[in-house]
Amino acid sequence: MKRSVLLVVNGDKHEMFIEPNLTLLGLLRENLNLKGAKEACGIGACGACTVIMDGKPVNACIVLAVEAEGKEIETIEGLAEGNDLHPLQRSFVDHHSFQCGFCTPGTIMTAKAFLNRNPKPSRGCQGNVNSHTLMTTIFQGVNKRGVADHE
Amino acid sequence: MSEFRYVTKGINRTDGELIVTGRAMYACDMELPGMLVAKILRSPYSHARIKGINTDKAKGLEGVKAVISGADIGYRRFSFIDTPAFPADQTPLAVDKVRFAGEEVAAVAAVNEEIAAKALDLIEVEYEELPSVFDPEEAMKEGAPAIHEIVKPNTTTAWEDFGVPSSKSRPYKTVNNISNKNLIQYGNIEKGFEEAEYIREDRFEIPSTSHVAMEPHVAVASFQPTGKLDVWLTHMGYEHKRFWLAKLLDIPISKVRVHKTYVGGAFGGKISIFPFEFIAAYFSRVTLRPVKIILPREEVFAGCPPSRRMIVYLKTGVKKHGRITAQQVKLIDDVGAYRRSSPTALYLAHFFRNPIYSIPSIKHEGYGVYTNKLYTSAKRGHSLSQMVFAVEAQLDMICDELGLDKVEMRFKNFRKKGDTLPNGDKLRSYGLPECLKEAAEKIGWEEKYGKEKFRGLGIGTASMFSGAHNFPFSSAAMIRLNHDGRMILYTGQTEFGIGVDTVMAQIASEVLNCPLDYIVVNSGDSEVSPHDLGNWLSGGIFVSGEAVRRAALDLRDQMLKHAATGLDIPIEDLEMKGGWIIPGSDKSKRLSFSDMSRYGIQMAGGDPFIGKGYVKCVPEVHFWKGKYNKTASLSSGKGRFTEAYGLTLAIAHVEVNPETGEVHILEIVIADDCGTPINIKSVEGQIMSQAVMGIGDVLYEEVRISNGIVMNPNLLDYRVPTANDIPKISSIIVDSYEPNGPFGAKEVGESPRAAVISAISNAICNAIGERIYDLPMTSDRIKRALRSKST
Ligand code: FES
């Protein structure tokens, strides 16, 4: 039985009629055509699908879309302000913090949620699997950003 | 390196903004109007005869558009290797029997995923179970269940299609499940062992590990009413994909367009063709609708080939002072249900070790053996890491036994710059001794070795070719001048994490001495770019990069020639700088690249200024119309194979907790001879990512198969390194210049992984004072080794 959900994605309100077993990731990727968040494991183990829900990072592949009712969702597509990259995005580019880039949107969203809570980090992103594994450069990307933001 | 303006610099990825905004388009992101979703039914049995398949109920389900099984497709065979000696042995869907649990049996295309999944449940397959064999050494014995009896090719082989002169395709009769074998010998092995003063024989076993590319395997196919096939794939080079899609669908290669996609990691796991790709294309052809298949992670783990499982019997003879006199290898490659790249792997296992140590006598004997398990294939370093693990482990054991210094022992046996290898390849650059010297200094070998309780040091070495004369044999590139004086560069290179657009732009900018943003790169589109080796065989920079360099040189020469005519100034007086052509004698007469575009159109009959460049891999090896020159033989090891070898040496420093068996990696130093690094940041990224991959290979990764079933087909049960597992890793790029490479560059993308695997595993064994012969070195194995030591 389909149900309706109302949620805000990157500041835009969406009312949708969906299957109750649809995941938040499915809703974003298939229904809203926001392809930034990726599915790599589908079981909450890798973080490639990370988006921010009411300020907290969630693995969108294991969150049901109906759980997002009334919530504010931020995805990678909403991060840049018009033409200006978010400082974290800039920092990822400047530190070569990606190779294939597949998990980058999820990693950036994890980092953003993390920095919101912990502006001067030593290490974050524990939950993210990155098989190109530039974790050290990701840390550089995240840390430099953390420091620069709050100096 | 300072004379370069663009090359060597750690320039940011030119497509970085695309990636960090989530706008880079991967195959899984592709949507087309009216697109169907396909799903695959896989065999639950590791060995069974298919007695019948009934798809009627599935076909009758509302929303199902097509259902296929092996009976519809028949024996259309494909493989990574398809030669008259080793004809393709696999079909996209099992025809008569299944040979591993996970094999493709039938498939459904439906309007959505849910319906496709429901339809799979409605397909009825009648199996008759057959006895299975899982252990390759059992499979080789007389009387073991026969997995393939005879493969009777019903088409020409790929080799014949490429024009390789050799005999015609012929049936392959499998005896004792041996899929393929090789024998490489030089020197005098008996004499070599007679001369030895110490001989060791050991057995090592290396399991399959998954590539764990973050993007699962995906295919989107759209067959046009015009007879053209458009595909978006997860791949490492389009030539193999379009060759096989064309052959299996019986359409011209030129009518298959592999579109550019970003690929979410590959590591050797996405090369050549896979059944799901054919299935997507076939469905699209019969329904005339776009079709998408995304393999769930579980199917990637249990249905797509991981790295090769190998057993290495190794015998090495040395003089008391450490000089190696002879080495004998018997290699068993447990290929699983299908051969795929095994003939190459058996060859490469020897070939990649050849540039490291100078060993006067070698006997290398390899067997690819069929078993009823998931078939295996290439993974970053294709069989290099397996052999390196064994060879470097045994060298350490020899050193321990004879009281030799492990660093000195390796110095004593290294080859030298300028050496010619037994197959005729030359080492024009060879920075391995410098790598060892610098890495040992950096890690503090002298100060630390043997002085710390439960801490250890270990060395690993590796070498890797820089492209080889395999299909598609060569790369080409084009560069075209635009009205605004900027250029569009066309290269067939694929983006799966390398930063090809950036490095190719750096190479072109260096030649044309113009700002980097003058070069717009169009990469990875099979219909637009000329033929390209692809990003495997580690030839991306060495071969395709050199093609780009030559294309830019061609354009440069064309522009200078016309400028000289237009200005009536001798060509020698002209300099290219910052997007201008400047006469030394009168700088005021300078012409912009945009002026040159106009000149070409107005004054040179409309000349569009298109530069082209091309490179053949190992030009002296070639064939034409039934004649060939010096082609390398995979089974005898004779013949040239590559023009340059990338080299790596890694040293690891680890600490082991004797109570828990846990390993704490303190530091890894990786010294690499990649010639000139085209983009230092990309090179460091390549090295870093391989170090982390190597950590996983040593400490926990294994595709665990029990009774033919993959036991850990997901990212919770199959552990890969995460942020917390990453130690201090430093990379050293030694000063080296490869005369044949673009600006002196050569391979860097594959050899560090193997060196790191050996370094860490040797360091662990050094720390515990006991040898572990198998990977991964889990804490359980380490505890067991420590216990056996104390008893
Ligand atoms: S795809 Fe959601 S955590 Fe891996």
Side-chain angles (χ1 to χ4, degrees):
Chain A
M1 263 269 274
K2 288 201 170 181
R3 295 184 38 182
S4 78
V5 282
L6 183 73
L7 74 173
V8 177
V9 179
N10 300 329
D12 297 329
K13 252 190 213 147
H14 295 276
E15 189 168 8
M16 342 236 350
F17 201 51
I18 55 160
E19 296 288 346
N21 63 353
L22 181 71
T23 62
L24 177 58
L25 183 63
L27 179 142
L28 294 169
R29 285 184 59 88
E30 311 307 327
N31 300 38
L32 295 180
N33 216 9
L34 293 170
K35 302 289 193 187
K38 308 289 193 221
E39 178 164 326
C41 72
I43 55 171
C46 76
C49 61
T50 307
V51 298
I52 298 176
M53 183 158 88
D54 279 355
K56 293 201 187 76
V58 293
N59 290 330
C61 72
I62 50 166
V63 172
L64 286 176
V66 290
E67 293 174 62
E69 167 69 36
K71 302 269 165 66
E72 291 229 12
I73 310 292
E74 295 167 65
T75 73
I76 192 77
E77 288 88 349
L79 207 52
E81 299 246 358
N83 227 342
D84 296 326
L85 292 186
H86 183 277
L88 252 177
Q89 291 173 311
R90 185 76 265 150
S91 188
F92 266 59
V93 175
D94 290 342
H95 289 91
H96 282 242
S97 305
F98 49 82
Q99 286 186 357
C100 77
F102 192 75
C103 66
T104 305
T107 310
I108 291 180
M109 295 317 281
T110 306
K112 175 166 190 267
F114 179 73
L115 285 178
N116 285 347
R117 278 177 293 159
N118 182 359
K120 292 196 176 184
S122 57
R123 284 201 154 190
C125 310
Q126 257 78 344
N128 285 69
V129 173
N130 168 312
S131 60
H132 270 116
T133 37
L134 288 163
M135 278 301 173
T136 44
T137 47
I138 290 176
F139 288 135
Q140 282 168 16
V142 177
N143 291 350
K144 286 274 167 48
R145 192 54 253 149
V147 173
D149 253 355
H150 297 277
E151 259 164 10
Chain B
M1 291 179 196
S2 55
E3 73 268 30
F4 295 120
R5 288 168 295 256
Y6 300 98
V7 160
T8 71
K9 309 284 183 279
I11 289 168
N12 284 352
R13 283 273 294 266
T14 54
D15 51 1
E17 284 78 3
L18 218 50
I19 284 172
V20 298
T21 54
R23 293 280 293 276
M25 226 277 308
Y26 298 79
C28 65
D29 301 333
M30 189 66 199
E31 298 289 348
L32 290 165
M35 191 157 77
L36 302 174
V37 175
K39 279 193 156 301
I40 296 169
L41 183 71
R42 295 172 183 274
S43 164
Y45 297 108
S46 51
H47 200 188
R49 198 162 299 289
I50 298 173
K51 296 187 74 181
I53 301 186
N54 186 342
T55 57
D56 291 349
K57 281 190 201 146
K59 280 181 182 146
L61 188 69
E62 198 181 325
V64 170
K65 298 296 170 189
V67 183
I68 48 168
S69 71
D72 305 305
I73 309 294
Y75 290 100
R76 306 185 196 202
R77 291 195 185 84
F78 68 92
S79 187
F80 186 103
I81 291 273
D82 183 21
T83 68
F86 304 118
D89 56 4
Q90 193 172 0
T91 53
L93 291 156
V95 182
D96 52 348
K97 63 176 194 172
V98 289
R99 296 178 175 88
F100 73 99
E103 181 156 5
E104 296 80 357
V105 171
V108 171
V111 290
N112 64 40
E113 203 180 326
E114 232 184 320
I115 295 174
K118 258 190 213 144
L120 286 191
D121 288 342
L122 297 176
I123 298 174
E124 293 155 0
V125 188
E126 199 192 330
Y127 294 102
E128 178 196 322
E129 234 191 305
L130 299 168
S132 295
V133 58
F134 304 118
D135 178 333
E137 292 180 285
E138 289 299 320
M140 288 167 86
K141 288 185 185 151
E142 210 64 57
I147 298 168
H148 293 260
E149 286 93 26
I150 188 156
V151 174
K152 284 194 195 126
N154 50 8
T155 61
T156 52
T157 58
W159 262 33
E160 294 163 82
D161 300 339
F162 304 154
V164 182
S166 53
S167 46
K168 296 237 176 316
S169 86
R170 55 183 186 267
Y172 184 87
K173 191 164 174 345
T174 309
V175 179
N176 296 337
N177 289 311
I178 292 174
S179 139
N180 54 287
K181 50 187 173 185
N182 73 347
L183 178 62
I184 299 170
Q185 298 190 85
Y186 51 80
N188 182 334
I189 196 76
E190 284 83 26
K191 200 166 138 256
F193 281 117
E194 269 163 32
E195 282 168 15
E197 291 161 340
Y198 176 75
I199 296 172
R200 262 204 86 92
E201 286 185 67
D202 298 286
R203 179 188 188 273
F204 301 89
E205 196 167 334
I206 302 97
S208 278
T209 61
S210 176
H211 307 82
V212 198
M214 291 313 287
E215 184 183 21
H217 294 41
V218 181
V220 175
S222 178
F223 199 87
Q224 311 290 349
T226 54
K228 223 188 114 189
L229 174 69
D230 286 287
V231 290
W232 293 260
L233 305 170
T234 44
H235 71 108
M236 306 172 63
Y238 50 65
E239 298 293 1
H240 263 251
K241 297 288 189 200
R242 65 176 185 156
F243 169 81
W244 279 110
L245 286 172
K247 183 164 173 126
L248 292 170
L249 289 166
D250 197 17
I251 55 177
I253 287 179
S254 298
K255 292 206 173 183
V256 181
R257 179 176 190 180
V258 182
H259 287 259
K260 153 120 185 177
T261 46
Y262 277 84
V263 179
F267 317 112
K270 290 172 177 171
I271 190 62
S272 206
I273 195 82
F274 294 95
F276 72 91
E277 293 167 324
F278 166 81
I279 291 167
Y282 184 87
F283 272 141
S284 182
R285 188 179 198 180
V286 295
T287 60
L288 266 196
R289 287 173 69 165
V291 176
K292 185 180 205 170
I293 296 188
I294 300 183
L295 295 191
R297 179 63 61 184
E298 200 155 306
E299 288 185 41
V300 176
F301 269 115
C304 297
S307 73
R308 297 200 157 277
R309 296 170 283 255
M310 287 183 166
I311 298 169
V312 185
Y313 289 93
L314 188 63
K315 178 178 171 187
T316 305
V318 294
K319 290 282 191 195
K320 282 252 159 62
H321 55 73
R323 184 78 181 89
I324 305 170
T325 59
Q327 191 162 64
Q328 186 171 337
V329 180
K330 183 178 160 196
L331 186 62
I332 294 171
D333 178 20
D334 173 4
V335 305
Y338 297 99
R339 178 189 296 133
R340 213 162 166 98
S341 63
S342 184
T344 314
L346 293 184
Y347 168 74
L348 294 179
H350 159 75
F351 170 83
F352 287 148
R353 295 300 303 158
N354 220 358
I356 307 288
Y357 301 120
S358 159
I359 303 175
S361 296
I362 289 266
K363 181 174 178 191
H364 171 106
E365 177 183 16
Y367 297 91
V369 184
Y370 289 126
T371 54
N372 290 112
K373 288 187 294 197
L374 177 61
Y375 61 106
T376 53
S377 193
K379 179 177 172 184
R380 206 173 205 174
H382 205 180
S383 72
L384 165 67
S385 60
Q386 291 92 327
M387 268 309 286
V388 168
F389 168 68
V391 171
E392 295 293 340
Q394 200 178 54
L395 287 189
D396 265 20
M397 286 187 270
I398 290 170
C399 290
D400 286 337
E401 208 61 46
L402 300 179
L404 298 169
D405 182 299
K406 290 171 181 167
V407 172
E408 272 312 308
M409 198 279 187
R410 284 166 172 99
F411 272 127
K412 208 167 265 170
N413 287 289
F414 278 154
R415 291 197 182 270
K416 290 183 183 50
K417 186 171 164 181
D419 272 6
T420 300
L421 304 183
N423 73 331
D425 286 351
K426 277 205 173 54
L427 300 174
R428 292 183 185 86
S429 56
Y430 189 75
L432 206 51
E434 291 78 10
C435 288
L436 177 52
K437 189 169 158 283
E438 291 189 32
E441 263 168 36
K442 172 116 184 137
I443 208 138
W445 183 279
E446 289 269 320
E447 304 85 73
K448 292 183 183 135
Y449 187 81
K451 301 196 179 88
E452 304 165 312
K453 202 152 188 251
F454 290 111
R455 285 186 170 193
L457 286 167
I459 299 174
T461 59
S463 87
M464 173 60 52
F465 53 20
S466 307
H469 57 80
N470 284 34
F471 177 75
F473 313 109
S474 68
S475 284
M478 299 187 300
I479 182 164
R480 140 187 165 213
L481 185 64
N482 266 6
H483 304 292
D484 59 359
R486 284 168 156 79
M487 286 142 284
I488 302 179
L489 170 67
Y490 301 89
T491 165
Q493 289 277 286
T494 307
E495 183 53 65
F496 56 80
I498 306 145
V500 289
D501 288 10
T502 312
V503 293
M504 296 305 169
Q506 284 179 267
I507 290 173
S509 284
E510 189 69 46
V511 172
L512 293 151
N513 195 4
C514 65
L516 196 74
D517 76 344
Y518 270 44
I519 312 290
V520 175
V521 181
N522 185 312
S523 58
D525 185 328
S526 73
E527 193 165 284
V528 176
S529 315
H531 66 265
D532 190 272
L533 199 66
N535 300 76
W536 61 303
L537 302 166
S538 264
I541 287 292
F542 189 80
V543 182
S544 300
E546 176 63 10
V548 165
R549 193 183 73 88
R550 291 182 190 178
L553 273 176
D554 183 28
L555 179 66
R556 179 174 167 272
D557 290 350
Q558 292 179 34
M559 285 205 278
L560 287 175
K561 191 178 120 228
H562 280 291
T565 314
L567 292 168
D568 197 17
I569 289 176
I571 201 162
E572 303 76 49
D573 189 36
L574 299 177
E575 189 200 1
M576 227 174 223
K577 199 173 175 186
W580 297 86
I581 295 174
I582 308 167
S585 50
D586 182 356
K587 293 197 167 55
S588 69
K589 285 190 175 160
R590 67 180 192 168
L591 294 171
S592 68
F593 283 8
S594 179
D595 290 333
M596 288 315 299
S597 166
R598 281 177 215 130
Y599 182 89
I601 292 169
Q602 301 301 333
M603 306 302 290
D607 189 338
F609 291 116
I610 298 176
K612 74 171 178 187
Y614 44 89
V615 178
K616 163 89 173 62
C617 276
V618 198
E620 69 175 89
V621 177
H622 51 254
F623 52 81
W624 168 246
K625 294 275 178 207
K627 292 209 180 76
Y628 58 84
N629 191 37
K630 295 178 183 161
T631 310
S633 156
L634 297 182
S635 30
S636 75
K638 296 202 171 70
R640 293 280 323 277
F641 206 57
T642 192
E643 292 285 1
Y645 291 86
L647 299 147
T648 309
L649 190 134
I651 304 185
H653 186 207
V654 310
E655 183 173 66
V656 178
N657 180 328
E659 304 303 320
T660 62
E662 260 167 75
V663 175
H664 176 47
I665 301 175
L666 303 162
E667 189 178 1
I668 305 174
V669 175
I670 301 155
D672 200 88
D673 168 13
C674 60
T676 305
I678 296 293
N679 182 316
I680 186 72
K681 289 281 183 192
S682 299
V683 165
E684 284 167 359
Q686 285 293 325
I687 292 175
M688 208 58 86
S689 78
Q690 292 179 75
V692 178
M693 223 174 191
I695 292 171
D697 282 299
V698 178
L699 297 186
Y700 16 77
E701 288 189 45
E702 171 175 9
V703 177
R704 276 188 283 115
I705 299 182
S706 173
N707 283 324
I709 308 289
V710 175
M711 304 304 286
N712 53 348
N714 61 68
L715 280 174
L716 284 175
D717 297 319
Y718 185 99
R719 188 173 165 206
V720 294
T722 57
N724 283 340
D725 304 312
I726 297 167
K728 181 177 167 200
I729 303 170
S730 11
S731 58
I732 300 168
I733 311 296
V734 299
D735 196 14
S736 170
Y737 188 91
E738 169 51 48
N740 282 336
F743 303 107
K746 55 182 179 173
E747 176 279 338
V748 72
E750 294 196 72
S751 62
R753 173 175 166 250
V756 167
I757 291 174
S758 278
I760 300 173
S761 50
N762 274 345
I764 293 172
C765 297
N766 179 232
I768 62 173
E770 193 66 14
R771 178 53 52 177
I772 297 172
Y773 295 85
D774 306 329
L775 286 177
M777 296 192 180
T778 57
S779 43
D780 280 347
R781 274 202 174 124
I782 292 172
K783 273 191 289 185
R784 236 178 292 140
L786 280 166
R787 248 181 278 138
S788 76
K789 185 184 168 189
S790 58
T791 53

Coordinates of all heavy atoms in Angstrom, one line a residue, chain A residues 25 38-50 58-62 127 129, chain B residues 214 715, ligand 1:
Chain A
L25 N 17.4 6.3 0.0 CA 18.3 6.4 -1.2 C 17.6 6.2 -2.5 O 17.8 6.9 -3.5 CB 19.4 5.3 -1.0 CG 20.5 5.3 -2.1 CD1 21.3 6.6 -2.1 CD2 21.5 4.2 -2.0
K38 N 25.4 7.4 -3.6 CA 25.6 6.2 -4.4 C 25.2 5.0 -3.5 O 25.4 5.0 -2.3 CB 27.0 6.0 -4.9 CG 27.6 7.2 -5.7 CD 26.9 7.4 -7.0 CE 27.7 8.3 -7.8 NZ 26.9 9.2 -8.6
E39 N 24.9 3.9 -4.2 CA 24.7 2.6 -3.5 C 25.9 1.7 -3.8 O 26.2 1.4 -4.9 CB 23.5 1.9 -3.9 CG 23.4 0.5 -3.1 CD 22.0 -0.1 -3.1 OE1 21.0 0.6 -3.1 OE2 22.0 -1.3 -3.2
A40 N 26.7 1.4 -2.8 CA 27.9 0.5 -3.0 C 27.7 -0.8 -2.3 O 28.2 -1.8 -2.7 CB 29.1 1.2 -2.5
C41 N 27.0 -0.8 -1.1 CA 26.9 -2.1 -0.4 C 25.4 -2.4 -0.1 O 25.0 -3.6 -0.1 CB 27.6 -2.1 1.0 SG 26.9 -1.0 2.2
G42 N 24.6 -1.4 0.1 CA 23.2 -1.6 0.3 C 22.8 -2.1 1.7 O 21.6 -2.4 1.9
I43 N 23.8 -2.2 2.6 CA 23.5 -2.8 3.9 C 24.0 -1.9 5.0 O 24.2 -2.3 6.1 CB 24.0 -4.2 4.0 CG1 25.5 -4.3 3.8 CG2 23.2 -5.2 3.2 CD1 26.1 -5.6 4.1
G44 N 24.3 -0.6 4.7 CA 24.7 0.3 5.8 C 26.2 0.1 6.2 O 26.5 0.4 7.3
A45 N 27.0 -0.5 5.3 CA 28.3 -0.9 5.8 C 29.4 0.1 5.2 O 30.6 0.0 5.6 CB 28.7 -2.3 5.4
C46 N 29.1 0.9 4.2 CA 30.2 1.6 3.6 C 30.1 3.1 3.6 O 31.1 3.8 3.5 CB 30.3 1.1 2.1 SG 29.1 1.8 1.0
G47 N 28.9 3.7 3.7 CA 28.8 5.1 3.7 C 28.7 5.9 2.4 O 28.7 7.1 2.3
A48 N 28.8 5.1 1.3 CA 28.7 5.8 0.0 C 27.4 6.5 -0.3 O 27.3 7.4 -1.1 CB 28.9 4.8 -1.2
C49 N 26.4 6.1 0.5 CA 25.0 6.7 0.3 C 24.7 7.8 1.4 O 23.6 8.2 1.5 CB 24.0 5.6 0.4 SG 24.1 4.8 2.1
T50 N 25.7 8.2 2.1 CA 25.5 9.1 3.2 C 24.9 10.5 2.8 O 25.3 11.1 1.9 CB 26.8 9.4 4.0 OG1 27.4 8.2 4.3 CG2 26.5 10.3 5.2
V58 N 23.2 10.0 7.8 CA 22.6 8.7 7.8 C 23.0 7.9 6.5 O 23.3 8.5 5.5 CB 21.0 8.8 7.8 CG1 20.6 9.4 9.1 CG2 20.5 9.6 6.6
N59 N 23.0 6.6 6.6 CA 23.2 5.8 5.4 C 21.8 5.6 4.8 O 21.0 4.9 5.2 CB 23.7 4.4 5.8 CG 25.1 4.5 6.3 OD1 25.9 5.3 5.9 ND2 25.5 3.6 7.2
A60 N 21.6 6.4 3.7 CA 20.3 6.4 3.1 C 19.8 5.1 2.5 O 18.6 4.9 2.3 CB 20.3 7.5 1.9
C61 N 20.7 4.1 2.4 CA 20.3 2.8 1.9 C 19.6 2.0 2.9 O 19.0 1.0 2.6 CB 21.5 2.0 1.3 SG 22.7 1.4 2.6
I62 N 19.8 2.3 4.2 CA 19.0 1.6 5.2 C 18.0 2.4 6.0 O 17.6 2.0 7.1 CB 20.0 0.8 6.2 CG1 21.1 1.8 6.7 CG2 20.7 -0.3 5.5 CD1 21.8 1.3 7.9
G127 N 33.2 5.5 9.4 CA 32.3 4.6 8.8 C 32.4 4.5 7.3 O 31.8 3.6 6.7
V129 N 33.9 3.5 3.8 CA 34.8 2.6 3.0 C 35.2 3.3 1.7 O 34.3 3.8 1.1 CB 34.1 1.2 2.7 CG1 35.0 0.4 1.9 CG2 33.8 0.5 4.0
Chain B
M214 N 34.2 0.4 -5.5 CA 33.0 0.9 -4.8 C 31.7 0.8 -5.6 O 30.6 0.6 -5.2 CB 33.2 2.3 -4.2 CG 34.3 2.3 -3.1 SD 34.0 1.1 -1.8 CE 32.6 1.7 -1.0
L715 N 29.8 -6.5 2.4 CA 30.9 -5.7 3.0 C 30.8 -5.7 4.6 O 31.7 -5.0 5.2 CB 30.8 -4.3 2.5 CG 31.4 -4.1 1.1 CD1 31.2 -2.7 0.6 CD2 32.9 -4.4 1.2
Ligands
FES1 S1 25.4 1.9 0.2 FE1 24.6 2.6 2.0 S2 26.1 2.2 3.5 FE2 26.9 1.3 1.7

